[in-house]
Amino acid sequence: MLPVIGALRPWADPALVSIHRLPMHVPLTGFERTSLDGSWQLEMFAHPDRVPAAAVTGERAGAVSVEVPGNWTMQDLGGFVDLPHYTNVEMPFPGPPPRLPARNATGVYRRSFTLPARWLRQRCVLHVGGAESVHAVYVNGQFVGYGTDSRLPSEYDVGPFVASGNNEVAIVVVRYSAQSYVEDQDHWWMAGLHRSVWLESRPAVHLSDVPVDVGYDPATGDGSVEVSGVVDFGGAPEAGWSVRSTLRGPNGRRIGRVMTEEVPHRDARPYVFEGFRTTSRWTVRGAKAWSAETPSRYSITVELIDDRGVPRQTEVQHVGIRSVEVRDRQLLVNGQPVWVFGVNRHDHHPDRGKAVTVDDMRADLVAMRAHNITAIRTSHYPNDRAFYDLCDELGFYVFDEADIESHAYNTSLCDDPSYRATWLSRGARMVERDRNHPCIIAWSLGNESGDGVNHHALATWIRSTDPSRPLHHEGEILHGGWVGIETNVSDIVGPMYPDIDAIREYGEAGAGSRPLIMSEYSHAMGNSNGSLADYWDVIVSTPGLQGGFVWEWKDHALRQRASDGTTRLAYGGQFGDTPNDGNFVADGLVSADLEPHPAMRELAWVHRPVTVDRSRGGLRVENRRSFADLADLRATWELLVDGDVDRRGTLRVPRVAPRSSITVPVPVDVPGPAHEVLLTVRWQTRHETWFAPAGHLVAWDQVRLRRRRTARRPSGSEGAGAGELVAPRLNLWRAATDNDGFKLMPEKRRRRAPNVALRHWQAAGIDVRSADELVDHDLRVERDEHGTTYRHTVDVPESLADLPRVGVSFELPARFDRMRWSGRGPHENYPDRNRSAMSGVWEGPPDALPYLVPQEFGLRTDCTWFELIDTVAGQAVRIDAGRPATMHVSAVRHTAGELFAAGNVVDLPPSDRLVVCLDTAHRGLGTASCGPDVLPRYRLAPGRYEFSYRIALVDRS
């Protein structure tokens, strides 16, 4: 039995959220501290009831050494096996709540520590940064306390239990608990002490909290700052104590006078919270307002002064003066609407699981800002305190989300009174800890947890405690839609995965007072994120829409080591975890190792801070920022004539104020009417920034100055036929993407392949060579001294509507190791994800598979010619597109059939050939792994397709 609390079985009681846990407060650093991070002894048991009393009292033979912070599911436990488990909606064990599995791994962490003698005369507090799922603390064999909420810290007064000399702390962590039902998030189920643990010494009289309230008046530019010093006397109040507060500006200079306030003590009672609070206020004229674009921070130094005038504790809080409000269907920061260029972010590292370091957090933020991401939803729990410090410093808007997700029971637990304390505790403690951070512009009541009385209770508590921020609650839309619906819970309409017509309808309806900011959209699973630009076309042109958070930032693959020492990035089911949701855990814009996927370029483009388009008077330059001009960027232009660079120069742009536009002249004369003329404008950083070196590309646009008025004949008069190398065959298929169907789990496929052809192909395993049996196909071949021309006519019947592609494919030896093309690039792009890809002449090696699970990849759209180059022999196979078709071309190392057959194999073996696909039409990607399918205009209709191309072998030595 687990000692002391074993009879209570608190881990199985949803109503019991803590025992002897100290109140939450803003992070304080003015205490002497001893870190307990590092090596701990860990002993594992199959169930909390099997933990013997001796396990918390000293060294035992069954213990192994592990690292804290860390997840035991990612560490060697000796002979005990407890691995990561991935589910999305379904719980990893049978319910209903609060039922728990028969095997419930429980770990007893132990380590010794020695305290300075002076600590024994003060309050000694143990800080447990995060424990999944619940934990109990013992010191020197005595029970100290119990805590829940694996994503917020718990603190305990261990002073009565410590002694001089050596001490022993044990933390018992239970993997699954009644609280697990509200931590049912789309991530790996882990376990262990995944955030820092430390001891700190607090004097008998000390500052226990330093909440700060700020205000900002956009009309006058003046701000206000109010800081409270909450004093804990540890008993009866004493006379003569005071709190001294000093405010300094971003430049370090003092603002106003130093405020000294006596701590109330007469008639004060320990149970009257306001009895021991002081408050100091400043008015700041002409304040430097904080925003994600201008993250100016003020500092407040708060000192506790004893009755002899001696400072006994000093706390420094960094704050931002800013305002946040919802008004007139807009989310306003400092009185201005802001675009929510957002992503959802989980804590994740491929080797450490949920135990992320400050360096990991900063690396995420650097990569985000390098791709124009300025907003983050902390899906689906509060982050470590260091994350908010970074967002304050660097400039990100944050929707701070409570650790509440009951996805498997999202219509019941939200109304269950036994879970009401859980709801209130998790949301309230988040606000109490994080309230001083300017980066937080909205509190979120959790995720996919329904909409019930527990949410309403929490919303009321937060509004009464912190009325300075709006509330976000996506679950409210479960009640009959969201167009024109008003509630008393959420200040923001936050749908998940709405289609474009739905958000347009909301904006055009003009009903209600709330802005629409999508909680999740554009599911980035594999080759995905189709129609990102189409979403943003509607967002920027429709009042009431302000953006949203892409799902999501990073693939959650975990590095798995085989017995032979090799490693791979693994997903659900590859740890023997059952049930599981496969590679649904790999749905990020970047890999688990932080390598950007191709869709990141499209995201960076739709989020760009400055746009350029053609206007009647020249070029219209629009600044999409809300507070800063474009002085930190320099613009250059490049003139392309028939795809080739003709001239380059610097674009001279006067000051463009925030949220405004100007028109500048076209910087170059346009060549004659026989040519196609494009102007590319690029914006780069003038100086090195925290996220990129000088010259980093921030924004880019391409405007058409003239369309071609005469047909362009295929180039390459030199050359010869490539018949000995090339044998094109009709191709109607592509390897299924994650968005073509939940292909790894056909028995529980959420969305089957979205068209008849793919379903038929997946079910029957039709080989690509059988395409001629399904459609009417006519081919004419013409050979001359310059090459071979192929002319195709393909009639697609109604029964094969919405094919993946119409084109041809052929293979080349792998020695053709480079490609060059005139079309959209340089990165992979598809018909509904190619607005970021500029037309031009590009060159590079054939793409490597950029996705965790093998699938279709590597397309380049709108190509007029394409070359596959043998750099050693100095030869190239050149393909010139005829009219009227424009080719979509990809060059990959594996066939569609091989990619599809690879299924859940992470690493395909090297191929000795190159597969080239030439398409006259190719289906878009959509985001149907969790969201809308491909828009109709990016699908392939039945009917006749006519296309031609010439293939020649040319000298490139």
Short mmCIF file of all heavy atoms in Angstrom, two decimals, residues 27 297 317-318 362 365 384-395 437 439:
data_model
loop_
_atom_site.label_atom_id
_atom_site.label_comp_id
_atom_site.label_asym_id
_atom_site.label_seq_id
_atom_site.Cartn_x
_atom_site.Cartn_y
_atom_site.Cartn_z
N PRO A 27 5.73 33.80 -10.29
CA PRO A 27 7.07 33.30 -10.02
C PRO A 27 7.91 34.31 -9.23
O PRO A 27 7.97 35.49 -9.57
CB PRO A 27 7.65 33.06 -11.42
CG PRO A 27 6.45 32.81 -12.28
CD PRO A 27 5.39 33.71 -11.73
N ARG A 297 9.65 46.39 -22.27
CA ARG A 297 9.29 45.92 -20.93
C ARG A 297 9.77 46.89 -19.85
O ARG A 297 10.87 47.44 -19.94
CB ARG A 297 9.87 44.53 -20.67
CG ARG A 297 9.26 43.45 -21.52
CD ARG A 297 9.69 42.08 -21.05
NE ARG A 297 11.14 41.90 -21.17
CZ ARG A 297 11.82 40.90 -20.61
NH1 ARG A 297 11.18 40.00 -19.88
NH2 ARG A 297 13.13 40.80 -20.77
N GLN A 317 9.93 42.08 -11.12
CA GLN A 317 8.95 41.61 -12.10
C GLN A 317 9.08 42.45 -13.36
O GLN A 317 9.10 43.68 -13.30
CB GLN A 317 7.53 41.74 -11.54
CG GLN A 317 7.23 40.83 -10.36
CD GLN A 317 7.15 39.37 -10.75
OE1 GLN A 317 6.48 39.00 -11.71
NE2 GLN A 317 7.85 38.52 -10.00
N HIS A 318 9.20 41.79 -14.52
CA HIS A 318 9.23 42.47 -15.81
C HIS A 318 7.81 42.46 -16.38
O HIS A 318 7.18 41.41 -16.51
CB HIS A 318 10.19 41.77 -16.77
CG HIS A 318 11.61 41.81 -16.32
ND1 HIS A 318 12.39 42.93 -16.43
CD2 HIS A 318 12.40 40.86 -15.73
CE1 HIS A 318 13.60 42.70 -15.95
NE2 HIS A 318 13.63 41.44 -15.51
N ARG A 362 13.51 28.35 -26.83
CA ARG A 362 14.04 29.46 -27.65
C ARG A 362 14.22 29.02 -29.09
O ARG A 362 13.90 29.78 -30.02
CB ARG A 362 15.36 29.98 -27.07
CG ARG A 362 15.93 31.15 -27.85
CD ARG A 362 17.21 31.67 -27.21
NE ARG A 362 16.94 32.48 -26.04
CZ ARG A 362 16.74 33.79 -26.07
NH1 ARG A 362 16.74 34.43 -27.23
NH2 ARG A 362 16.52 34.46 -24.96
N LEU A 365 10.94 29.25 -30.80
CA LEU A 365 10.53 30.63 -31.05
C LEU A 365 11.36 31.27 -32.15
O LEU A 365 10.83 32.06 -32.96
CB LEU A 365 10.64 31.44 -29.75
CG LEU A 365 9.71 30.98 -28.62
CD1 LEU A 365 9.95 31.81 -27.36
CD2 LEU A 365 8.26 31.06 -29.03
N ASP A 384 6.03 25.89 -19.08
CA ASP A 384 6.95 26.27 -18.03
C ASP A 384 7.05 27.80 -17.99
O ASP A 384 6.91 28.49 -19.00
CB ASP A 384 8.32 25.66 -18.30
CG ASP A 384 9.31 25.94 -17.19
OD1 ASP A 384 9.34 25.16 -16.22
OD2 ASP A 384 10.05 26.95 -17.28
N ARG A 385 7.31 28.35 -16.82
CA ARG A 385 7.38 29.81 -16.64
C ARG A 385 8.37 30.45 -17.59
O ARG A 385 8.15 31.58 -18.05
CB ARG A 385 7.78 30.12 -15.20
CG ARG A 385 9.07 29.45 -14.78
CD ARG A 385 9.35 29.52 -13.30
NE ARG A 385 9.86 30.82 -12.91
CZ ARG A 385 10.29 31.10 -11.68
NH1 ARG A 385 10.20 30.17 -10.73
NH2 ARG A 385 10.75 32.28 -11.38
N ALA A 386 9.45 29.74 -17.93
CA ALA A 386 10.47 30.32 -18.80
C ALA A 386 9.94 30.62 -20.19
O ALA A 386 10.41 31.54 -20.87
CB ALA A 386 11.67 29.38 -18.90
N PHE A 387 8.94 29.85 -20.64
CA PHE A 387 8.38 30.08 -21.96
C PHE A 387 7.73 31.46 -22.06
O PHE A 387 7.92 32.18 -23.04
CB PHE A 387 7.35 28.99 -22.27
CG PHE A 387 6.67 29.16 -23.59
CD1 PHE A 387 7.30 28.79 -24.77
CD2 PHE A 387 5.39 29.69 -23.67
CE1 PHE A 387 6.68 28.96 -25.99
CE2 PHE A 387 4.75 29.85 -24.89
CZ PHE A 387 5.41 29.49 -26.05
N TYR A 388 7.01 31.86 -21.05
CA TYR A 388 6.34 33.16 -21.06
C TYR A 388 7.36 34.29 -20.93
O TYR A 388 7.17 35.37 -21.52
CB TYR A 388 5.30 33.23 -19.94
CG TYR A 388 4.31 32.10 -20.01
CD1 TYR A 388 4.48 30.94 -19.27
CD2 TYR A 388 3.20 32.16 -20.85
CE1 TYR A 388 3.58 29.89 -19.33
CE2 TYR A 388 2.29 31.12 -20.93
CZ TYR A 388 2.49 29.99 -20.17
OH TYR A 388 1.61 28.95 -20.26
N ASP A 389 8.42 34.07 -20.16
CA ASP A 389 9.48 35.07 -20.10
C ASP A 389 10.06 35.33 -21.49
O ASP A 389 10.30 36.48 -21.87
CB ASP A 389 10.59 34.60 -19.16
CG ASP A 389 10.18 34.59 -17.69
OD1 ASP A 389 9.24 35.34 -17.33
OD2 ASP A 389 10.79 33.84 -16.91
N LEU A 390 10.29 34.26 -22.23
CA LEU A 390 10.82 34.41 -23.58
C LEU A 390 9.84 35.14 -24.50
O LEU A 390 10.23 36.00 -25.28
CB LEU A 390 11.17 33.04 -24.16
CG LEU A 390 12.39 32.34 -23.58
CD1 LEU A 390 12.46 30.91 -24.08
CD2 LEU A 390 13.67 33.09 -23.94
N CYS A 391 8.56 34.79 -24.39
CA CYS A 391 7.56 35.44 -25.24
C CYS A 391 7.41 36.91 -24.89
O CYS A 391 7.19 37.75 -25.77
CB CYS A 391 6.22 34.73 -25.13
SG CYS A 391 6.22 33.07 -25.87
N ASP A 392 7.53 37.25 -23.60
CA ASP A 392 7.53 38.65 -23.20
C ASP A 392 8.71 39.39 -23.83
O ASP A 392 8.56 40.50 -24.37
CB ASP A 392 7.67 38.77 -21.67
CG ASP A 392 6.45 38.34 -20.91
OD1 ASP A 392 5.37 38.20 -21.51
OD2 ASP A 392 6.56 38.13 -19.69
N GLU A 393 9.87 38.78 -23.73
CA GLU A 393 11.11 39.41 -24.19
C GLU A 393 11.17 39.54 -25.70
O GLU A 393 11.54 40.60 -26.24
CB GLU A 393 12.30 38.61 -23.68
CG GLU A 393 13.64 39.04 -24.25
CD GLU A 393 14.73 38.00 -24.08
OE1 GLU A 393 14.52 37.01 -23.34
OE2 GLU A 393 15.80 38.16 -24.70
N LEU A 394 10.81 38.47 -26.40
CA LEU A 394 11.01 38.42 -27.85
C LEU A 394 9.82 38.98 -28.62
O LEU A 394 9.98 39.45 -29.75
CB LEU A 394 11.28 36.98 -28.28
CG LEU A 394 12.48 36.31 -27.58
CD1 LEU A 394 12.61 34.87 -28.03
CD2 LEU A 394 13.77 37.07 -27.84
N GLY A 395 8.63 38.89 -28.04
CA GLY A 395 7.45 39.45 -28.68
C GLY A 395 6.58 38.42 -29.37
O GLY A 395 6.69 38.22 -30.58
N HIS A 437 2.37 38.41 -17.12
CA HIS A 437 3.04 38.35 -18.42
C HIS A 437 2.27 39.14 -19.48
O HIS A 437 1.12 38.83 -19.78
CB HIS A 437 3.18 36.90 -18.87
CG HIS A 437 4.17 36.11 -18.07
ND1 HIS A 437 5.52 36.25 -18.24
CD2 HIS A 437 3.99 35.20 -17.09
CE1 HIS A 437 6.15 35.44 -17.39
NE2 HIS A 437 5.25 34.80 -16.68
N CYS A 439 2.73 39.07 -22.62
CA CYS A 439 2.53 38.29 -23.85
C CYS A 439 1.17 37.61 -23.87
O CYS A 439 0.61 37.36 -24.95
CB CYS A 439 3.63 37.26 -24.02
SG CYS A 439 3.64 35.95 -22.75
#
